[in-house]
Amino acid sequence: MRILDNGCAYWSLGSIVEVSLHTENHDPNMYRARCLTGGTFPTIKVLDDKYPDAIEGRATNPLYAIWRELSDEESVEEVIEESIEEPVEESIEEPVEETTEESTALCSCGNLVTSPKGAGDCDKRHIGVSEDFAF
């Protein structure tokens, strides 16, 4: 980005910028976008699948506002890596070791209870209920 003599910002072709969008449905989120053209009101491509089409810049009634340019090379590389579609690997659930004498389980009545291991009958010690509570 550079500042022109008239005080306007000139966004360079290929710059990665942080933008907010002015859509029909108010979207309060900030997005990263790549400038597809250079200029004060460049055409941008938002790096998010929610907005797949390029957005044309215009001086009146703009569809976006550029807040800042991401000049840090690491940030730019991070944005480029995020924009590349990669298959998502499912996480493998790891077994959780129980460290206490008590565990949370379903009681024979169907409610969650905290009881010593091995207790099978309903002892009415449901989570969130005092021990002297009666049904």
Side-chain angles (χ1 to χ4, degrees):
M1 177 198 66
R2 64 182 179 191
I3 304 297
L4 301 176
D5 291 338
N6 62 4
C8 292
Y10 182 93
W11 305 99
S12 303
L13 171 69
S15 295
I16 302 295
V17 293
E18 189 172 47
V19 298
S20 61
L21 303 174
H22 308 288
T23 61
E24 293 174 5
N25 301 326
H26 177 68
D27 189 347
N29 299 315
M30 299 292 280
Y31 294 96
R32 291 179 177 168
R34 179 184 307 279
C35 293
L36 300 178
T37 61
T40 303
F41 307 102
T43 298
I44 63 168
K45 170 68 175 94
V46 177
L47 301 176
D48 190 305
D49 293 337
K50 187 174 181 181
Y51 299 98
D53 300 326
I55 301 173
E56 186 178 339
R58 54 188 182 204
T60 58
N61 197 18
L63 298 175
Y64 65 85
I66 297 177
W67 291 98
R68 65 186 179 113
E69 181 176 23
L70 300 175
S71 60
D72 180 34
E73 288 192 26
E74 290 180 17
S75 297
V76 173
E77 288 177 13
E78 185 179 305
V79 170
I80 293 170
E81 288 175 8
E82 288 175 4
S83 66
I84 298 173
E85 294 182 20
E86 295 181 12
V88 178
E89 296 181 15
E90 294 183 19
S91 62
I92 300 172
E93 294 183 22
E94 297 179 7
V96 178
E97 295 182 21
E98 295 180 17
T99 58
T100 63
E101 291 281 314
E102 296 189 348
S103 64
T104 305
L106 282 178
C107 183
S108 60
C109 67
N111 293 314
L112 287 175
V113 295
T114 302
S115 300
K117 292 182 182 180
D121 295 330
C122 179
D123 58 4
K124 296 184 183 176
R125 290 181 49 201
H126 303 133
I127 293 177
V129 179
S130 63
E131 292 183 23
D132 56 287
F133 178 82
F135 286 103

